[in-house]
Amino acid sequence: MNRQAQSALLFLLGAALWHAGTTDLYLRYVKAGLRPLLLAAAVVLVAAAVASVGYGWRRGRRGAGSGAEPGSGLGHGPSADRPGADRHGHHAPHVSWLLLLPLLALILVAPPALGSYSATRTGTALQQPLAYPALPATGPLRLSVVDYAGRAVYDKGRTLEGRRIEVTGFVAVDRSGTPYLVRMALNCCAADAQPVKIGLTGAIPPVLQPDTWLTVTGTYTPRTEKDPVNGGPVPFLRVTAATPVPVPHDPYDESWNT
């Protein structure tokens, strides 16, 4: 890989990061709060590529002005003392071509957000909340999966009793046939995403397609079971209605680390 190829690769990688950071594509990889850092990295890569091209162009002009072809080892300067230095010194090892892999992944592969496959093979990551924000006194409670699960398990549903609740998540069904409403929660990026699950009971739709996003309306129930994967607590919601909805703008839940 010569200098020109290195510069082109840096530029393309920076451009791909910029494209991901200026669209919703980046949300499939990292949390929303990391967007500025992603854009900054894209700018640094593009600037490095431009600087590398400029350096090579200036060096070529100096070589032409000295009456020797760049890389010939003739003329004046350090290259005259080390014949062939320029001819071999500016080539990176062949392993450098592996840098093409993340570039191809960004350009050619746009993986969906983690879904039911990961959720049914990973135990619930529910954590006890540090505090419970105040809820509106009237009207339905529109809660996240993480918020409902935390209140149901660790607060024993004291703020949920007798309230109409709406929760949105995707469907997952374990091997025993138990349906869950799930949201993948993450600390940093998709690599550390873990599911938080709510078991569904009551008026469950007769056909549940895994990875379908639903807004479930229901009421609190004290029923809690252990996750079959890691034994973590999984609260239940008594369903009264379920409505299919589009995949949300940000499919991950970041509420536990904001």
Side-chain angles (χ1 to χ4, degrees), residues 7-201:
S7 300
L9 185 57
L10 279 176
F11 181 84
L12 290 175
L13 187 58
L17 285 179
W18 182 265
H19 169 70
T22 54
T23 64
D24 292 342
L25 181 60
Y26 81 101
L27 292 173
R28 301 184 185 185
Y29 301 96
V30 298
K31 60 187 295 186
L34 294 180
R35 185 178 194 175
L37 294 178
L38 189 66
L39 293 176
V43 171
V44 169
L45 288 172
V46 171
V50 172
S52 180
V53 170
Y55 172 79
W57 180 76
R58 291 193 302 271
R59 196 171 185 283
R61 291 197 63 181
R62 287 199 301 269
S66 67
E69 294 183 2
S72 65
L74 303 177
H76 303 285
S79 61
D81 299 326
R82 294 185 293 109
D86 288 343
R87 194 164 54 244
H88 302 289
H90 297 302
H91 286 73
H94 293 301
V95 73
S96 301
W97 288 106
L98 291 177
L99 290 173
L100 279 172
L101 295 180
L103 177 60
L104 293 176
L106 281 171
I107 296 175
L108 302 179
V109 181
L114 297 176
S116 62
Y117 181 87
S118 298
T120 55
R121 289 162 175 78
T122 308
T124 182
L126 182 63
Q127 302 174 2
Q128 183 169 3
L130 297 177
Y132 301 99
L135 297 175
T138 59
L141 298 177
R142 294 179 175 86
L143 304 177
S144 69
V145 170
V146 173
D147 194 10
Y148 175 84
R151 291 173 185 272
V153 172
Y154 297 108
D155 195 40
K156 307 301 182 184
R158 285 179 293 182
T159 57
L160 305 175
E161 286 279 8
R163 302 295 301 272
R164 181 165 164 260
I165 300 166
E166 293 182 5
V167 185
T168 298
F170 64 84
V171 174
V173 181
D174 68 12
R175 295 179 181 179
S176 67
T178 302
Y180 299 101
L181 195 69
V182 186
R183 202 72 182 260
M184 302 296 289
L186 75 168
N187 290 307
C188 171
C189 56
D192 63 26
Q194 295 177 292
V196 175
K197 310 173 187 179
I198 296 174
L200 301 179
T201 186

Side-chain angles (χ1 to χ4, degrees), residues 167-171 181 200 205 208 211-216 242-246:
V167 185
T168 298
F170 64 84
V171 174
L181 195 69
L200 301 179
L208 286 175
D211 294 311
T212 299
W213 283 81
L214 298 176
T215 292
V216 172
T243 305
V245 294

